[in-house]
Structures are given as structure tokens and as C-alpha cells.
């Protein structure tokens, strides 16, 4: 029997109003509290999954450096790279989603909009996030991603979630996550920062030298996998539909083999920088990507 890693996910703190507005799923902050191990089965609820070509549009909300934007853009390009680097790669990680729907959606990087004047302020409500998510435009093959900068507060950010995904009118879905480096790196950028709760292990060196953006990579990866395997809240998940554990959120805290609460598992270490990673990307990029549940084995599958 497969087991859920001994982590507790504080999804119960989501408010009903947020859920009604979003019908969405959260990438939960990593509160590493030991709970009894449970079998890990993500039930398929017979709804549609996303397959085929998908365009990922990015709305950069707040101030991001060009270096920060390139970390994320390169990550997205790496997921469906035509000529990926040898495994373990971001492309081989994304390919795991093919075990759900028969083929991994092919991701294209679409429009990137910059909103560096904080057009709706520095404290965002769910309805403001939805409004921002619609800005790159609607198409049935679009997933619009809102990324909030380090100085932007979002309702529920840190206290109950590191990001969300959900439906978006006329599109395949939306995702929001943000740079948590100042507000809650121990919750949303673990293992690159000491965890707030639970067993303490030394933080890993972030592979792109940016705790906030390397944390965004983890959360964006989590939410993308959820968005394609549970786009409408009736795909693959465990638990209640309003607080689901999805393809990657069900495997929270696991990055390599031998993981246990507070310890992300064995990963690769760059000899020069000391950075931890488990996936190669385009242009020599390195990323640390979370484990994904494998429907064939009912295990959280790691790249290394
Ligand atoms: C997906 O994109 C590829 C590459 O641009 C293209 O050749 C293919 O026809 C597209 N498929 C669909 C169903 O649009």
C-alpha cells in the first residue's frame, strides 16, 4: 500500500468565500507536522483533464527583475522542451502527467504582461486576482498565471496557501502564486528556508540563487500539475473537493528518495555552487521539483 508522507496540510483554514469565488485548489504552505500515515490514492472523479497544446501566459504583478522573470520563463520552456537535457530533467518531470490523461499537455510560453505599477494595489482579494488573471486574454487553450512580487499581500497567502489554481471564464484555467521570500519563506519556499513548524533541517541552497523564485518554481510546478489533472475540480484528487490533495500537493514535502517530515530527500548537489536540484532545464538551468503522484504505482514519484 502506498502511503501519504507524514505531513499535514492546513487546507482546512480556507474560507468558504474564497472557495466559492475560486473553486480552486491551493498549494499549501508547508507546515511540517507529523500525522499518522495514510494510504495515498487519488481518485479519478471522471471529469475532463487537460491535454493537447496549452499556452501559459504570465502576468507579472509588481516588481520582478529580468533575472527573476527568466528563471520562471526558462522553467516553463523546459517543461515541454523539444530537445531536453538528459534526465533527470524538467521535461521528464512534466511527462509524468501523461500517466493521468494519456499524454502530457504540450506547454507553450505565451504572452508576458508586466504590471509593475501595482494597478490594483499591494493587497489583493480573490476577485482582484481573478480580474488580473483575465488580462492576458481568454482562449480555451490558455492557462493564465498571475505571479505576485515579494511586496504584494494576497488574501490567504502564507496563512493558508502558497498559491491557487482554478477555472477562468473562456480559458483552460488560471494559476496564482507569489514570491514568498519576505512574507513566509519557511512555509512557501521550503526547503530553501528553515521550516516554520516541525523538524528542522538545514535549508538547501536554491538552484537559481533566489529563494523566492526557486520557491515559486516549486509552487508553480505543483499548481500546473493540479491544473491539468484536476482542472474543474472533478479530475484526480484525494479528500474533499473544496480542499483536494492533487497530483503534486498530495506529495508535499518530498523532493527525492528517502524523504521524511522536515527532510526533503536525497537530491543532486551542484559541485560548484552547492545548490540542490533534481531536474535539469534548458540553457544549463537547474530546478528543484516536487514529487508527483504516479497513478500506475500509487506512489509519490521522485526524479532522483
Ligand atoms: C500543437 O502544436 C504543434 C507545434 O506548434 C502543432 O504542430 C500541432 O498541430 C498543435 N496541435 C494542435 C492540436 O493544435
Amino acid at each position: 500500500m502506498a502511503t501519504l508522507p507524514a505531513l499535514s496540510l492546513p487546507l482546512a483554514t480556507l474560507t468558504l468565500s474564497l472557495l466559492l469565488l475560486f473553486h480552486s485548489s491551493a498549494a499549501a504552505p508547508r507546515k511540517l507536522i507529523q500525522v499518522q500515515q495514510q494510504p495515498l490514492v487519488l481518485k479519478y472523479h471522471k471529469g475532463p483533464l487537460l491535454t493537447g497544446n496549452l499556452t501559459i501566459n504570465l502576468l507579472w504583478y509588481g516588481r520582478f527583475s529580468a533575472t527573476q522573470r527568466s528563471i520562471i520563463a526558462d522553467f516553463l520552456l523546459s517543461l515541454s522542451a523539444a530537445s531536453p537535457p538528459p534526465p533527470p530533467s524538467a521535461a521528464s518531470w512534466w511527462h509524468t502527467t501523461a500517466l493521468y490523461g494519456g499524454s502530457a499537455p504540450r506547454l507553450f510560453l505565451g504572452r508576458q504582461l508586466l504590471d509593475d505599477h501595482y494597478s490594483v494595489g499591494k493587497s489583493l482579494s480573490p476577485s482582484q486576482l481573478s480580474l488580473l488573471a483575465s488580462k492576458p486574454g481568454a482562449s480555451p487553450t490558455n492557462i493564465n498565471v498571475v505571479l505576485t512580487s515579494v511586496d504584494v499581500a494576497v488574501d490567504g497567502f502564507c496563512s493558508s496557501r502558497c498559491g491557487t489554481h482554478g477555472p477562468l471564464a473562456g480559458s483552460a484555467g488560471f494559476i496564482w502564486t507569489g514570491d514568498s521570500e519576505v512574507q513566509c519563506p519557511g512555509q512557501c519556499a521550503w526547503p530553501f528556508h528553515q521550516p516554520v513548524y516541525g523538524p528542522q533541517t538545514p535549508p538547501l541552497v536554491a538552484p537559481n540563487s533566489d529563494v523566492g523564485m526557486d520557491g515559486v518554481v516549486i509552487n508553480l510546478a505543483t499548481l500546473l500539475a493540479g491544473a491539468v489533472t484536476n482542472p474543474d475540480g472533478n479530475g484526480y484528487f484525494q479528500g474533499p473537493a473544496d480542499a483536494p490533495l492533487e497530483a503534486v500537493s498530495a506529495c508535499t514535502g518530498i523532493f527525492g528518495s528517502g524523504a521524511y517530515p522536515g527532510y526533503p530527500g536525497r537530491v543532486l548537489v551542484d559541485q560548484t555552487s552547492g545548490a540542490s536540484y533534481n531536474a535539469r532545464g534548458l540553457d544549463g538551468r537547474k530546478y528543484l521539483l516536487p514529487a508527483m503522484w504516479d497513478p500506475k504505482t500509487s506512489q509519490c514519484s521522485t526524479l532522483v
Side-chain angles (χ1 to χ4, degrees):
M1 195 186 295
T3 54
L4 180 68
L7 302 175
S8 104
L9 303 171
L11 292 165
T13 51
L14 292 181
T15 67
L16 186 61
S17 62
L18 282 176
L19 295 168
L20 289 174
L21 274 165
F22 272 140
H23 306 287
S24 62
S25 313
R30 289 166 181 82
K31 295 186 181 179
L32 303 169
I33 299 165
Q34 206 147 3
V35 294
Q36 201 182 352
Q37 297 210 340
Q38 308 162 18
L40 183 57
V41 176
L42 270 58
K43 193 171 164 229
Y44 179 43
H45 297 77
K46 306 285 194 309
L49 310 179
L50 297 183
T51 54
N53 292 348
L54 295 173
T55 299
I56 310 298
N57 298 309
L58 301 177
L59 174 69
W60 297 95
Y61 190 83
R63 298 224 174 94
F64 292 90
S65 68
T67 303
Q68 289 181 315
R69 295 199 305 270
S70 68
I71 292 168
I72 302 304
D74 287 350
F75 168 62
L76 292 169
L77 291 169
S78 297
L79 290 175
S80 292
S83 310
S89 68
S92 53
W93 180 85
W94 183 245
H95 192 70
T96 307
T97 62
L99 301 172
Y100 291 74
S103 65
R106 188 166 171 184
L107 305 182
F108 295 83
L109 182 58
R111 303 179 71 194
Q112 295 194 60
L113 306 183
L114 306 185
D115 187 339
D116 54 3
H117 290 93
Y118 306 86
S119 63
V120 290
K122 288 191 174 178
S123 181
L124 304 182
S125 66
S127 56
Q128 286 172 318
L129 271 190
S130 292
L131 173 79
L132 292 171
S134 68
K135 296 228 162 157
S139 152
T141 56
N142 277 0
I143 293 180
N144 292 348
V145 178
V146 178
L147 296 165
T148 47
S149 62
V150 72
D151 51 350
V152 175
V154 177
D155 205 347
F157 190 30
C158 298
S159 61
S160 64
R161 57 174 78 189
C162 301
T164 49
H165 81 80
L168 179 68
S171 295
F174 87 96
I175 287 173
W176 154 70
T177 187
D179 184 336
S180 67
E181 181 161 8
V182 170
Q183 297 177 60
C184 59
Q187 283 145 306
C188 296
W190 187 84
F192 306 124
H193 191 279
Q194 292 284 129
V196 177
Y197 302 92
Q200 303 287 314
T201 50
L204 305 183
V205 176
N208 296 284
S209 310
D210 188 320
V211 166
M213 299 315 285
D214 278 304
V216 165
V217 168
I218 292 171
N219 294 314
L220 183 55
T222 303
L223 292 160
L224 274 172
V228 304
T229 60
N230 188 29
D232 298 333
N234 54 13
Y236 280 90
F237 62 91
Q238 186 198 51
D242 56 3
L245 294 179
E246 298 176 324
V248 173
S249 59
C251 299
T252 292
I254 303 174
F255 293 85
S257 54
Y260 54 80
Y263 171 62
R266 280 184 292 278
V267 297
L268 304 175
V269 175
D270 184 285
Q271 297 296 321
T272 313
S273 64
S276 291
Y277 71 100
N278 61 10
R280 298 184 187 93
L282 294 176
D283 294 331
R285 288 274 189 200
K286 295 184 167 77
Y287 296 103
L288 187 68
L289 300 181
M292 194 186 309
W293 185 73
D294 178 337
K296 298 282 187 287
T297 63
S298 292
Q299 304 269 2
C300 287
S301 164
T302 58
L303 290 166
V304 293

